[in-house]
Coordinates of all heavy atoms in Angstrom, one line a residue:
G1 N 25.7 40.3 81.8 CA 24.8 39.4 81.2 C 25.4 38.5 80.2 O 25.1 37.3 80.1
V2 N 26.2 39.0 79.3 CA 26.7 38.3 78.2 C 27.7 37.2 78.7 O 27.7 36.1 78.2 CB 27.5 39.2 77.2 CG1 28.2 38.4 76.1 CG2 26.6 40.1 76.5
L3 N 28.3 37.5 79.8 CA 29.3 36.5 80.4 C 28.5 35.2 80.9 O 29.1 34.2 81.1 CB 30.1 37.1 81.5 CG 31.0 38.2 81.1 CD1 31.7 38.9 82.3 CD2 32.0 37.7 80.1
L4 N 27.2 35.4 81.2 CA 26.5 34.2 81.7 C 25.9 33.3 80.6 O 25.4 32.3 80.9 CB 25.3 34.7 82.6 CG 25.7 35.4 83.9 CD1 24.4 35.9 84.6 CD2 26.4 34.4 84.8
V5 N 26.1 33.7 79.3 CA 25.5 33.0 78.2 C 25.9 31.5 78.2 O 25.1 30.7 78.0 CB 25.8 33.7 76.9 CG1 25.5 32.8 75.7 CG2 25.0 35.0 76.8
P6 N 27.2 31.2 78.4 CA 27.6 29.7 78.4 C 26.8 28.9 79.4 O 26.4 27.8 79.1 CB 29.0 29.8 78.7 CG 29.5 31.1 78.3 CD 28.4 32.0 78.5
W7 N 26.6 29.5 80.5 CA 25.9 28.8 81.6 C 24.3 28.7 81.3 O 23.7 27.7 81.7 CB 26.2 29.4 82.9 CG 25.6 28.7 84.1 CD1 25.8 27.4 84.5 CD2 24.5 29.1 85.0 NE1 25.1 27.0 85.6 CE2 24.3 28.1 85.9 CE3 23.9 30.3 85.1 CZ2 23.4 28.2 86.9 CZ3 22.9 30.4 86.1 CH2 22.7 29.4 87.0
L8 N 23.8 29.8 80.7 CA 22.4 29.9 80.5 C 21.9 29.1 79.3 O 20.8 28.7 79.2 CB 22.0 31.3 80.4 CG 22.1 32.2 81.6 CD1 21.8 33.7 81.3 CD2 21.3 31.7 82.7
L9 N 22.8 28.8 78.3 CA 22.5 28.1 77.1 C 22.1 26.7 77.5 O 22.7 26.1 78.4 CB 23.7 28.0 76.2 CG 23.9 29.1 75.2 CD1 25.2 28.8 74.5 CD2 22.8 29.2 74.2
V61 N 34.6 23.6 81.4 CA 35.1 24.8 82.1 C 34.3 26.0 81.5 O 33.9 26.9 82.3 CB 36.6 24.9 81.9 CG1 37.1 26.3 82.4 CG2 37.3 23.8 82.7
W62 N 34.2 26.1 80.2 CA 33.6 27.2 79.6 C 32.1 27.3 80.0 O 31.6 28.4 80.3 CB 33.7 27.1 78.0 CG 32.8 28.0 77.2 CD1 33.2 29.4 77.0 CD2 31.6 27.8 76.6 NE1 32.2 29.9 76.2 CE2 31.2 29.0 76.0 CE3 30.8 26.7 76.5 CZ2 30.1 29.1 75.2 CZ3 29.6 26.8 75.7 CH2 29.3 28.0 75.1
R63 N 31.5 26.2 80.2 CA 30.0 26.1 80.6 C 29.9 26.6 82.0 O 28.9 27.2 82.4 CB 29.5 24.7 80.5 CG 29.1 24.3 79.1 CD 27.8 24.9 78.6 NE 26.7 25.0 79.5 CZ 25.6 24.3 79.5 NH1 25.4 23.4 78.6 NH2 24.7 24.4 80.3
E64 N 30.8 26.1 82.9 CA 30.6 26.3 84.4 C 31.3 27.6 84.9 O 30.9 28.1 86.0 CB 31.1 25.1 85.1 CG 30.4 23.8 84.8 CD 28.9 23.8 85.0 OE1 28.4 24.5 85.9 OE2 28.2 23.1 84.3
L65 N 32.2 28.1 84.2 CA 33.0 29.3 84.7 C 32.1 30.5 85.1 O 32.3 31.1 86.1 CB 34.0 29.7 83.7 CG 35.0 30.7 84.2 CD1 35.9 30.1 85.4 CD2 36.0 31.1 83.1
P66 N 31.0 30.8 84.2 CA 30.2 31.9 84.6 C 29.5 31.7 86.0 O 29.4 32.6 86.8 CB 29.1 32.0 83.5 CG 29.8 31.4 82.3 CD 30.7 30.3 82.9
L67 N 29.0 30.5 86.2 CA 28.3 30.3 87.5 C 29.3 30.4 88.7 O 29.0 31.1 89.7 CB 27.8 28.8 87.5 CG 27.2 28.4 88.9 CD1 26.0 29.2 89.3 CD2 26.9 26.9 88.8
W68 N 30.5 29.8 88.5 CA 31.4 29.9 89.6 C 32.0 31.3 89.8 O 32.3 31.7 90.9 CB 32.6 28.9 89.4 CG 32.0 27.5 89.3 CD1 32.1 26.7 88.3 CD2 31.1 26.8 90.2 NE1 31.4 25.5 88.5 CE2 30.8 25.6 89.7 CE3 30.7 27.2 91.5 CZ2 30.0 24.7 90.3 CZ3 29.8 26.3 92.1 CH2 29.5 25.1 91.6
S69 N 32.1 32.1 88.8 CA 32.5 33.5 88.9 C 31.5 34.3 89.7 O 31.8 35.1 90.5 CB 32.6 34.1 87.5 OG 33.6 33.4 86.8
V70 N 30.2 34.1 89.4 CA 29.1 34.8 90.1 C 29.1 34.3 91.6 O 29.0 35.1 92.5 CB 27.7 34.5 89.5 CG1 26.6 35.0 90.4 CG2 27.7 35.1 88.2

Side-chain angles (χ1 to χ4, degrees):
V2 173
L3 296 175
L4 292 176
V5 168
W7 184 64
L8 295 174
L9 274 176
V61 167
W62 174 77
R63 281 287 315 253
E64 300 300 330
L65 192 62
L67 172 65
W68 303 120
S69 298
V70 169

